[in-house]
Amino acid sequence: MIRKAEKNDTEAIMKIWLYTNIKSHSFISADYWHSNFEMVKELIPCAEVYVYEDNCTNQIEGFIGFNDNHIEGIFVKEAAQSNGIGKQLLDYAKDIKSALSLNVYQKNERAVRFYQRENFNIHCENIDDNTGEKEFAMIWKN
């Protein structure tokens, strides 16, 4: 089930955010993610965030966060990946937004392939000022 995040979801969301970022972005120091943890944690309750909650366990398995029509990230627990949760979160986003944009690190090839498969097009290439890593700016329109 996908639902709007609630304040008491923040701890579960942040665990997924931290461990998924460290695992998916091994080309960026884990210290970077740890040093940004508290800032992101403060922003989560104010952001537009939707969670995927397992119907049987009532555990949050993933989430998607927005800034207007910009996807700040889709995160799925490692143990729950490749089960369609990311696609369900993205499909939900496509149902509530007429256009979407996002940035994805070029070295995160799995994510780039996922977004291309979901009809996102590369708009341009940038350098992330915070990490110095190359990223693609991608867009999707209904």
Side-chain angles (χ1 to χ4, degrees):
M1 164 182 78
I2 296 175
R3 62 170 174 78
K4 190 156 181 54
E6 301 167 356
K7 189 172 177 83
N8 62 346
D9 295 328
T10 302
E11 291 300 322
I13 288 169
M14 289 308 300
K15 281 183 183 176
I16 295 169
W17 178 88
L18 181 62
Y19 294 116
T20 304
N21 270 318
I22 290 170
K23 177 78 173 165
S24 299
H25 305 118
S26 59
F27 47 90
I28 296 172
S29 168
D31 291 340
Y32 173 79
W33 305 111
H34 285 285
S35 68
N36 283 287
F37 184 89
E38 289 302 322
M39 177 198 61
V40 173
K41 186 176 179 179
E42 288 179 24
L43 295 173
I44 289 289
C46 305
E48 183 180 1
V49 177
Y50 297 89
V51 298
Y52 178 94
E53 185 176 81
D54 184 276
N55 291 331
C56 296
T57 64
N58 295 326
Q59 297 291 310
I60 295 173
E61 300 290 329
F63 72 95
I64 185 170
F66 297 98
N67 182 354
D68 294 320
N69 287 346
H70 187 80
I71 298 173
E72 295 293 344
I74 298 176
F75 300 88
V76 177
K77 282 182 182 177
E78 184 177 10
Q81 290 178 3
S82 298
N83 291 322
I85 294 171
K87 180 168 175 27
Q88 287 181 57
L89 288 163
L90 188 55
D91 286 347
Y92 186 86
K94 290 176 177 179
D95 285 344
I96 62 173
K97 309 279 185 179
S98 60
L100 295 166
S101 64
L102 59 85
N103 293 342
V104 60
Y105 291 115
Q106 289 182 20
K107 289 180 182 175
N108 189 351
E109 294 172 1
R110 183 177 181 190
V112 172
R113 285 192 307 272
F114 170 74
Y115 291 122
Q116 287 177 321
R117 193 172 56 243
E118 295 302 319
N119 298 314
F120 278 76
N121 295 306
I122 296 172
H123 176 67
C124 63
E125 184 179 297
N126 302 311
I127 301 287
D128 180 0
D129 292 335
N130 297 313
T131 63
E133 289 290 332
K134 289 182 182 179
E135 61 184 6
F136 291 126
M138 301 181 82
I139 55 173
W140 170 87
K141 291 184 181 172
N142 190 2

